[in-house]
Amino acid sequence: MVEHVEKHSPLGGFAARLAAATRASGGAVRLAELPFLTQVNVRLDAKGPAADAVRLALGIPLPVAPNTMVRGGGLAALWLGPDEWLVVGPPGTASGLEARLRGAVGGTHAAVTDVSAQRTALLVAGPRSRDLLAHGTSLDLHPRSFGPGRCAQTLLARAQVVLAARDERRPGFWLLVRSSFAGYLAEWLLDAAVEYAEPPS
Amino acid sequence: MTAQPFRLPAGGRIRRDEPLSFRFDGIEYQGYRGDTLASALLAAGVRRTARSVKLGRPRGVFTAGSAEPNAIVQIEAPFPEPMLTATTVELYDGLVASGLPGQGRLADEPDPARYDAVHAHCDVLVVGGGPAGLAAAAAAARTGARVILADEQPEPGGSLLDTGELPDWVARTTAELAAAAETRVLSRTTVFGHYDDNHLLAVERRTNHLGAQAPSHLSRERIWRIRARRVVLATGAHERPIAFADNDRPGIMLAAAARAYLHRYAVVAGRRAVVFTTGDSAYDAALDLAAAGVDVAAVADARPRPGAAAERAARAGIEVLAGHAVIGTTGDRQLTGVTVRPLHDGEPTGPAAPIAADLLLVSGGWNPALHLFGQAGGQLRYDPGLGAFLPDGCRQAVRVAGAARGVGELPGCLADGAEAGRRAAQDEGFTAARPLPPPEASAAPEPGAPSVPLWVVPGQDNLDRAFVDLQRDVTVADLARASGAGLRSVEHLKRYTTAGTAHDQGKTSGVLTSGVAARLLGVDPAELGTTTFRPPYTPVAFAALAGRNRGVLHDPVRVTALHDRHLAHGARFENVGQWKRPWYYPRDGEDMAAAVARECRAAREGVAMMDAGTLGKIDVQGPDAGVFLDRLYTNMMSTLRVGMIRYGVMCRADGMVFDDGTVARLAEDRFLLTTTTGNAAAVLDWLEEWSQTEWPELRVHCTSVTDQWATVALVGPRSREVLAAIAPQLAVGAPDFPFMAWRDATVAGIPARVCRISFSGELAYEINVASWYATALWEALHTAGRPLGITPYGTETMHVLRAEKGYPIVGQDTDGTVTPQDLGMGWVVSKKKRDFVGKRSHSRADTSRPDRKQLVALLPPPDVLLPEGTQLIATDRLARPPVPMEGHVTSSYRSAALGRTFALALVRSGRRRIGERLYAPVGGELVPVTVADPVLYDPEGTRRDG
């Protein structure tokens, strides 16, 4: 419906600098915005029928273990609270996902809210990504403690973020940050990444 | 090459292939990579490094590490840095430093270096890389536990590098730790704070030692914030001085320090030495120095019967004076001689004998370094045999190992450390397949003779020159005066004399102060105890603590999706909380007043637009959402029809205005709230608190959507034309789209929610789109409005427009003591609702007082702009204080529409006083002002529909 209107992601203006920092580190850290992801906030009773209905509709359950993430079928469901989740999907699927979720919960008491533009996502990956994030978060990101499938709502530097460990073998994280804080956080990440730049040869 | 007359031709851990030049007190010297500033100065024969702070007495290097009380220096280049100890400054090429008499000076230029912080987590943190610490770390690392070893020296080894013992074991163990997958060795890292839950702070000096060659992309210093499951404190021990007359001359140093200068740096600290000791350890220093060619004239041992160590020294040809003490020294600029005298039963007897010497080594025993242990809440007990305080239990998961808990011999320290490391890991569920083997057998230690504590050499009459704290120039006489003045607590003695309050926090003087004071007071040192250990263990630069939180990163800057547009329009910004909001948009040389007047005229007479995206937005859903909002807003929300919007006010339980905003009913069970910019998070917290803790039975959920939506306010009599142009399918006429209604529409091809809301009194719309489309919407409005002169406006114009209409701003015109009724908004407080938060407080006698401060407008002389915050009085001359205050100005502006200045104010009984004259003291004058109804512009509301 709005294909002809230009979209701007919160960190669109940072793309070149994030790529430059990635190159400068020789791949030790990879920084990139993952713009325009679909994000739908879901609040419902985890023990009620709506939770089952959502599982059937999405093909993945809403995780009940605190600070975990379940992925499948191109979607990820992140635990945000005992009755709150963030369902993340590919760009451009917000209205469909929201409709699926609304249809699933039906008449039961649940809140389904499209928050795709509320936060943007950053990929922080690479062998030194844990070290990079450790400059700003007090969470223990060691795989023994924050392995694949873990997520958390925490502070990175002085911005609230949702942090999730990708379920892949190589270290990598998703950072979801409020759009208005994204510029600050990107500046902070770029400054912290200077440390990992390869010395000029 | 500058001479280094006190440097031995071989040995030490210095890099002789890397000579370095440096300047100290204006003179050029040379040293080697691996030197400290202190070792290089000693090598060059520099004995006096500074004068003392109070008495101006010459002072020299006293220790070989972070306990140094004397040799503090100011680094001049490459970057000025005050109050560093020469004993811990690693030498680099081009270093320029000068000695400091107790006080340095801060740099007057910004520090160009980078500083940062790292959060680290581990199963076992070992503090100290000496024999016990290395053994502990290696034992723990072998279990696979996550281990951090933090050591303040450039390389692990600790006292083993001072004494030259077990070099192969140090190298092998260091290599093993470096290869362990889950182990991190932090050298040049001082753990300076030990807090609750084993949270420890450390500072790593990463590039300081490289001087001007430091890579600029690396942080110079780094704060480590370490969370450890278990802590092993292997912090070693500090040698203790003894109080005797003139014990402060350059050339007098701790015995172990002289040994460290010899083994680490191949520096002999003098040519002819006397040793004054109360225990065995100083004999090793004497023997090592003698072997290096120093003429050791005598060892004065206060013990009447020194044991095997003394015999060993005697066999090496060193004269041992058993039962002797040093009672004085000579030498103006540096030590030239030492006077010794026999002691008998602790009292001096017999003749004093002078001995020529340029070096006096002192060893009064060893103080376990329990600073971190004390910070962690550990208890200490006094051991009379050692004359030292030892650890005696800690509420945290902390073990103390090695010399830090009084273990004296090297094999004991190694075994103790290994056991502590192994058990710490085991407590976390880690065990080793191959436990750490003990180091290759060294010679079995000879049976030592116990040391005998000696605080003050008895029989002295020059106690005003017998120093306890060298940095603070505190003497035994000072302590005697303090105890004579009736001070009996060691904390009081410390504060009265300043002993232990210098940069070194009494590392060499603390326990000596306790020991001397105990003697003066005639009590046991156990009774007196020590002063409290507080972080930091060593001084830490503010720049390191600030880390990355400087400049633009000091506090998050929040921007809306339209920030780039505002920059392109030349906006000036103001800070609203963490937000940057456009303040006004000056054009070609306009000042702020001219720009704001132009923006106001556009909004009142044509069309203007503003970024309103910072308003908080909360999506409230659930069958009970209406009831929920009825209880939180003062007015009724459940009766709102779908498609309509209502203004609402929230109060705290005290009945005072907390926030205001609009509520749009999106569906039977769904509302969208707006909050003030500054209160967005607080209002969401408020909603969650009532929902979760007071009314869990209400089926309602709240979700913040502040950043989801971009909002542009389209304002002015011609705003409808602009909207119609870019939303052709939307019926924009007043009958179809009435005031306080919202419509879903396609605006400029973008799905939008358009609200007919006005914060200016003019015909106005707030257009909400997903924030990705904010720029497209703004550009479309700008293009469509250009023929009509559409004008972007900022917060200042918004404030003027709303104030002309008497609309208060929560937080500017209210301050937490203002009710809706005080604002003249009794109409927003429901009389019908059974209850809402704050209702009961509105019936308190105090909230219905007729003389409460109420919001009114003030009309000063038309060209006088009252400063916001100005007080108001009732008389045209100032009465004698206290002057009765009638109120104060909360907002003040120039109005283009009114052609004059005006203000809003909270005035006692304000509404009753409309038409009265008050006076505002401004800059020494009393400005007359007339109280007026707060709605100064279009009181009939004729402009709302365009």
Side-chain angles (χ1 to χ4, degrees), chain B residues 88-110:
Chain B
T88 60
V89 171
E90 291 181 53
L91 198 66
Y92 49 83
D93 208 42
L95 174 71
V96 179
S98 52
L100 283 181
Q103 283 178 345
R105 61 182 188 285
L106 291 171
D108 53 7
E109 57 195 288

Side-chain angles (χ1 to χ4, degrees), chain B residues 474-534:
Chain B
V474 177
T475 64
V476 175
D478 293 326
L479 287 172
R481 253 192 305 281
S483 62
L487 304 174
R488 303 192 64 81
S489 151
V490 69
E491 298 283 5
H492 292 156
L493 290 164
K494 169 181 175 176
R495 282 153 184 78
Y496 189 85
T497 62
T498 73
T501 62
H503 69 285
D504 60 342
Q505 289 288 290
K507 288 184 187 64
T508 51
S509 63
V511 176
L512 181 58
T513 300
S514 286
V516 171
R519 226 180 94 105
L520 290 165
L521 293 165
V523 300
D524 192 81
E527 196 180 317
L528 204 57
T530 65
T531 54
T532 307
F533 296 108
R534 294 190 184 86

Side-chain angles (χ1 to χ4, degrees), chain B residues 41 80 251 254 260 322 354-355 395 438 626 646 679 691 708 715 842 858 865 895 897:
Chain B
L41 288 171
L254 294 171
I355 307 173
R395 57 185 152 79
R646 194 164 283 169
N679 260 348
S691 163
Q708 167 73 19
V715 177
H842 290 160
L858 297 179
L865 186 67
S895 166

Side-chain angles (χ1 to χ4, degrees), chain B residues 583-586 594-603 608 791-794 797:
Chain B
W583 194 12
Y584 59 100
Y585 298 81
V596 170
R598 173 178 52 74
E599 292 171 13
C600 284
R601 271 195 305 277
T791 302
Y793 69 93
T797 292

Side-chain angles (χ1 to χ4, degrees), chain B residues 247-484:
Chain B
N247 61 347
D248 64 328
R249 298 188 198 279
I252 301 175
M253 70 170 60
L254 294 171
R259 201 175 178 205
Y261 285 113
L262 176 65
H263 288 288
R264 283 180 183 261
Y265 312 105
V267 169
V268 288
R271 301 284 185 222
R272 184 174 159 85
V274 171
V275 179
F276 180 22
T277 186
T278 63
D280 281 356
S281 68
Y283 285 93
D284 292 321
L287 287 163
D288 286 359
L289 286 175
V294 176
D295 174 9
V296 179
V299 175
D301 193 325
R303 299 172 296 181
R305 276 175 299 280
E311 288 161 22
R312 197 150 44 91
R315 279 200 300 278
I318 297 174
E319 184 182 8
V320 175
L321 302 170
H324 276 63
V326 172
I327 61 161
T329 66
T330 55
D332 281 342
R333 278 176 299 186
Q334 69 176 70
L335 187 76
T336 55
V338 173
T339 309
V340 297
R341 201 173 171 198
L343 300 176
H344 187 71
D345 283 343
E347 291 303 322
T349 53
I355 307 173
D358 64 349
L359 179 62
L360 171 59
L361 307 186
V362 179
S363 179
W366 292 87
N367 297 325
L370 293 170
H371 306 70
L372 296 175
F373 182 73
Q375 291 174 24
Q379 300 295 310
L380 306 185
R381 67 177 169 83
Y382 182 71
D383 184 306
L386 294 173
F389 290 89
L390 298 182
D392 193 25
C394 181
R395 57 185 152 79
Q396 300 208 49
V398 170
R399 285 189 165 75
V400 183
R405 67 180 193 98
V407 178
E409 298 298 333
L410 177 56
C413 284
L414 292 165
D416 198 44
E419 178 67 2
R422 186 188 65 76
R423 287 180 56 186
Q426 190 176 47
D427 288 343
E428 290 305 313
F430 296 92
T431 49
R434 293 179 305 114
L436 184 73
E440 60 272 24
S442 49
E446 63 198 12
S451 61
V452 176
L454 177 66
W455 310 105
V456 188
V457 171
Q460 307 232 320
D461 47 11
N462 292 327
L463 292 175
D464 58 343
R465 301 205 309 269
F467 289 89
V468 174
D469 186 329
L470 293 167
Q471 181 53 225
R472 285 289 193 233
D473 271 343
V474 177
T475 64
V476 175
D478 293 326
L479 287 172
R481 253 192 305 281
S483 62

Side-chain angles (χ1 to χ4, degrees), chain A residues 52 58 61 70 113 119 125 134 166:
Chain A
D52 285 332
L58 298 184
V70 173
T113 314
R119 301 184 186 91
R166 299 191 308 172

